[in-house]
Amino acid sequence: MLQQLFSPSLLHALDLVGIFVFAISGALLAVRKNLDVFGIAVLAEATALGGGLFRDVVIGAVPPAAFTDLGYFVTPLLAVALVFFLHPHVERIQNAVNFFDAAGLGLFCVVGTAKAYDYGLSATASACLGLVTAVGGGVVRDVLANEVPSLLRWDRDLYAVPAMVGATMVALCIHFDALNAFTSSLAVVTAFVLRLLALRYHWRAPRAWQRRSTVREEE
């Protein structure tokens, strides 16, 4: 199915762009945590490849692409080099990083869903793995950095929800036999735009109804 939606060369190029941007977010967090160059590399690789590795292991696509294509491993290291030497400048273009991160989120949730379905999973299970593909690396990054994962925190702009919407759109298209290049691109764009709107207007998921917790809220 993936081959029908995207050409192999285009899919590979988009994959590498998404991996690069995700790696930058991991490397920047490592710098903020005052980690050394090895720590920066670990967080960058984990952020960039974590979601895809988990998906591939679950669906039996082994060895995962990250271990068979050198580009998947080297691309995060390029992001490490960029952040290591130029992190003050990279921090100043955070809006651009967020833009490409949102694009990677949209692409990965769609590609992850379609790939899972190609390996025999149901549409619902495929959507779940599409979500994991898009956000799993960020969860691994935050856990390694000893932080509550961003997608679980109420004070962070919506991240998982746009990916859920994109993956669900793909799953519905699969169910109704309507998945093609146009509908998959529409799912990518929808997740991408939702994430940008969440960043622009600080959309956040609601907390528990009539919440009365006395726990101190994190800044």
Side-chain angles (χ1 to χ4, degrees), residues 48-186:
L49 305 176
L53 281 172
F54 181 84
R55 177 205 61 216
D56 287 351
V57 170
V58 169
I59 65 179
V62 292
F67 293 102
T68 59
D69 187 327
L70 187 61
Y72 282 71
F73 180 77
V74 171
T75 299
L77 297 182
L78 297 178
V80 169
L82 177 67
V83 171
F84 184 81
F85 291 105
L86 300 173
H87 65 87
H89 304 287
V90 176
E91 292 275 13
R92 284 199 290 270
I93 59 169
Q94 188 63 49
N95 287 339
V97 173
N98 288 338
F99 179 89
F100 288 106
D101 181 83
L105 182 80
L107 174 68
F108 282 12
C109 72
V110 170
V111 170
T113 303
K115 184 171 183 178
Y117 186 76
D118 280 346
Y119 276 78
L121 272 66
S122 68
T124 301
S126 297
C128 291
L129 278 183
L131 171 63
V132 171
T133 303
V135 305
V139 172
V140 175
R141 173 201 65 207
D142 292 343
V143 170
L144 289 175
N146 197 30
E147 290 197 350
V148 176
S150 295
L151 62 84
L152 300 181
R153 293 183 57 172
W154 75 270
D155 57 343
R156 294 292 188 267
D157 301 330
L158 293 179
Y159 193 76
V161 172
M164 289 173 61
V165 171
T168 300
M169 288 177 65
V170 175
L172 289 173
C173 289
I174 289 172
H175 179 74
F176 292 106
D177 196 25
L179 189 64
N180 51 47
F182 173 76
T183 55
S184 60
S185 298
L186 181 62

